Amino acid sequence: MTFKTIIALLTLSAVAFSVESANEKTEDMWGDEVWGENWQEEETSPWSVAGFVEVAYGKRLQSDVLFERPETLEEVRGHLELDYTATGFEFSFAGDTWYDGVTEQQEYDIREFVVDISALENTDIKLGRQVITWGTGDLVFLNDLFPKDWESFFAGRDDTYLKASSNSLRVTSYFSAINIDFVWTPVFTADHYIDGERFSFFNPLAGQQVGGQDRVNPVEPKETLSNSELALRLYKNIDGVEYAVYGYRGFDKQPVGLTDDSEPTFHRKDIVGASIRGAVASGLYHTELAYHDAKKDGNGTNPLVSNSQLRWLIGYEREVATRLTLGLQYYLEWTQDYDELLENSPYPQFEVTEKRHLVTTRLTYRSQKDEWIWSLFGFYSPSDKDSYIRPSVSYRFSDEWAFTAGANIFSGRDDHTFFGQFKDASNAYVRVRYNFN
């Protein structure tokens, strides 16, 4: 751990101690002695404050020749949440600052800075920076094109950080016939994808792994009104079954396309889809369908644009023993105009399979009072012959202290497949967190 890391840890600990001390002073003011002498009705503050300080460390389980250091996670993080509630509106703030020992940089991120207004007795309006998600999949996203942070996910940060923020307007209206959820993101927000900074990946143009000093520098869409993102969900619960249809107009969330100058970029994409979620046989089922329409290449002959895809997911989850839950999913990714793709591709040997099959399993055991949580999530693709396993265990020592350990284990027969390209990124990590409020 570097000197800067230690300084950051001491600083964040001081912040946490200050908040804790302030809370203790507030409690003293309302202690039994004062209560007895100066009784008055307790007023509930419209403000609430919470947060945590966390130290995390992760390391590769093998070497990657593109990186000198084995560490994949080395940081001291402070997280603060501030909420204000008043009649007719709410304000929420959530932000992080951390010293990243892997990149040797101090980082900041505002995850939430949003005003939530209730209007017309049936409408909620949320304006500002916020985390948005919908859809039915468990770590599989078909109609949810809101930004994701895959680097955090693969490095072993808390799963919460997989869902990234965007500056958006969200309007949700509730009607007897149907509910409407609309999101407008004025400036396109890409995923925090694997760009070679922390993990290497397979570049088909180079025909090999790239990363370390060689990072992705994509051409992003211009910040114009016509390039904003629009997302729509219409949903209704009928007799315990939730039905939803989706629409999205925007771009690929990762730079999987190329410009005419062979620079990575994000091409236009439209999505339509639907989902159903309900209960059966003491468990919960879900199924979801989405068509990803590549607007720049309607017939699949342009090798610079990723082809359109039909995606389908079906899953089921239930408690199979006391406090032991099992979840299963099957996912299909069907690339359209596949013959045209292979005929025009400069690297057909590295293209995705026409029908990519994926099976996922989630096994979770929770002890009484949730002190221990054991989790195993596995992805396996029989078509790509690759896999991704995520074991983890969390222990809550008290309301303040929590400990987590886990691993991200990738394997695959080929270097260019979805999980196979990350074979040298397999890692194990630990996190220690102190919560305060």
Side-chain angles (χ1 to χ4, degrees):
M1 185 173 291
T2 65
F3 176 74
K4 290 182 178 179
T5 303
I6 295 172
I7 293 298
L9 174 61
L10 294 175
T11 303
L12 292 169
S13 299
V15 172
F17 179 76
S18 299
V19 173
E20 189 78 7
S21 298
N23 289 339
E24 290 176 356
K25 289 179 180 178
T26 302
E27 292 174 359
D28 290 342
M29 291 176 62
W30 295 95
D32 292 340
E33 185 175 347
V34 177
W35 179 267
E37 297 176 355
N38 303 301
W39 181 88
Q40 62 180 4
E41 185 178 354
E42 183 178 2
E43 295 184 0
T44 302
S45 172
W47 294 94
S48 64
V49 181
F52 62 79
V53 178
E54 183 177 84
V55 179
Y57 180 80
K59 188 176 181 180
R60 296 179 200 281
L61 299 177
Q62 67 296 301
S63 62
D64 187 330
V65 295
L66 297 174
F67 296 89
E68 295 182 358
R69 297 182 59 194
E71 284 79 12
T72 54
L73 183 65
E74 185 183 19
E75 64 187 31
V76 181
R77 175 182 295 264
H79 175 84
L80 181 66
E81 297 178 6
L82 181 66
D83 295 292
Y84 179 82
T85 303
T87 304
F89 82 95
E90 296 180 1
F91 166 77
S92 299
F93 168 85
D96 290 71
T97 180
W98 69 99
Y99 179 75
D100 192 328
V102 176
T103 62
E104 298 184 345
Q105 292 182 344
Q106 187 69 38
E107 304 282 0
Y108 307 90
D109 181 36
I110 297 177
R111 289 183 56 79
E112 196 169 59
F113 192 93
V114 63
V115 176
D116 188 344
I117 302 172
S118 298
L120 304 175
E121 298 183 348
N122 71 333
T123 299
D124 292 329
I125 302 171
K126 297 185 71 172
L127 176 63
R129 190 164 182 80
Q130 53 192 300
V131 176
I132 304 172
T133 187
W134 61 38
T136 64
D138 185 3
L139 299 182
V140 180
F141 307 99
L142 286 76
N143 292 290
D144 179 351
L145 269 288
F146 303 109
K148 309 293 183 297
D149 186 345
W150 293 106
E151 187 173 86
S152 288
F153 189 66
F154 288 170
R157 292 183 178 128
D158 192 291
D159 288 355
T160 302
Y161 292 101
L162 172 61
K163 308 289 180 62
S165 306
S166 61
N167 299 320
S168 303
L169 168 67
R170 181 175 189 174
V171 180
T172 306
S173 294
Y174 307 92
F175 301 96
S176 57
I178 200 165
N179 303 314
I180 302 173
D181 214 349
F182 171 74
V183 178
W184 175 47
T185 304
V187 177
F188 167 71
T189 306
D191 284 351
H192 193 172
Y193 46 86
I194 304 301
D195 63 356
E197 181 183 52
R198 194 176 303 257
F199 303 111
S200 62
F201 65 95
F202 185 82
N203 184 335
L205 282 177
Q208 61 183 10
Q209 293 289 119
V210 297
Q213 300 298 320
D214 189 8
R215 296 177 55 187
V216 176
N217 186 22
V219 177
E220 299 201 359
K222 294 181 180 178
E223 295 183 7
T224 63
L225 198 60
S226 61
N227 284 341
S228 60
E229 295 178 89
L230 303 174
L232 177 69
R233 178 177 63 143
L234 309 179
Y235 63 101
K236 182 67 176 177
N237 193 308
I238 302 175
D239 297 330
V241 179
E242 183 192 75
Y243 301 88
V245 295
Y246 308 86
Y248 170 81
R249 181 189 182 280
F251 296 84
D252 293 320
K253 302 300 283 189
Q254 301 186 22
V256 294
L258 296 173
T259 66
D260 293 337
D261 298 325
S262 297
E263 296 176 288
T265 191
F266 309 83
H267 284 305
R268 281 270 292 109
K269 170 184 280 189
D270 287 353
I271 299 174
V272 292
S275 70
I276 301 174
R277 176 163 47 194
V280 64
S282 303
L284 299 173
Y285 71 89
H286 62 268
T287 183
E288 187 169 343
L289 184 71
Y291 184 74
H292 289 227
D293 187 7
K295 301 303 293 183
K296 290 284 188 179
D297 185 23
N299 51 20
T301 58
N302 187 346
L304 305 180
V305 181
S306 294
N307 282 29
S308 300
Q309 288 186 331
L310 180 67
R311 301 181 181 185
W312 177 56
L313 174 72
I314 186 168
Y316 183 71
E317 180 185 19
R318 65 167 295 182
E319 187 178 67
V320 293
T322 302
R323 296 187 292 277
L324 179 64
T325 304
L326 173 65
L328 299 170
Q329 294 183 126
Y330 166 75
Y331 171 65
L332 169 66
E333 206 170 78
W334 185 359
T335 299
Q336 306 295 291
D337 304 311
Y338 196 71
D339 291 340
E340 289 78 1
L341 170 65
L342 295 184
E343 289 174 5
N344 294 278
S345 173
Y347 39 78
Q349 70 276 24
F350 299 139
E351 293 291 354
V352 297
T353 56
E354 180 180 10
K355 296 178 181 177
R356 177 174 175 252
H357 304 278
L358 184 68
V359 178
T360 78
T361 303
R362 179 188 286 277
L363 198 59
T364 305
Y365 175 77
R366 296 175 179 273
S367 66
Q368 285 188 336
K369 300 180 181 178
D370 287 347
E371 290 179 338
W372 288 91
I373 300 178
W374 298 81
S375 176
L376 178 64
F377 197 105
F379 300 82
Y380 172 68
S381 173
S383 53
D384 284 357
K385 301 289 189 299
D386 62 2
S387 64
Y388 172 33
I389 309 297
R390 288 173 49 84
S392 70
V393 56
S394 298
Y395 174 60
R396 182 171 57 83
F397 177 75
S398 65
D399 289 341
E400 290 79 24
W401 289 98
F403 306 86
T404 301
N408 296 282
I409 303 170
F410 301 90
S411 65
R413 183 188 63 184
D414 301 314
D415 292 337
H416 65 277
T417 58
F418 193 86
F419 295 125
Q421 64 183 311
F422 299 123
K423 283 185 291 188
D424 291 339
S426 294
N427 61 83
Y429 62 87
V430 293
R431 301 195 307 265
V432 179
R433 176 177 294 190
Y434 177 78
N435 297 290
F436 60 88
N437 54 42

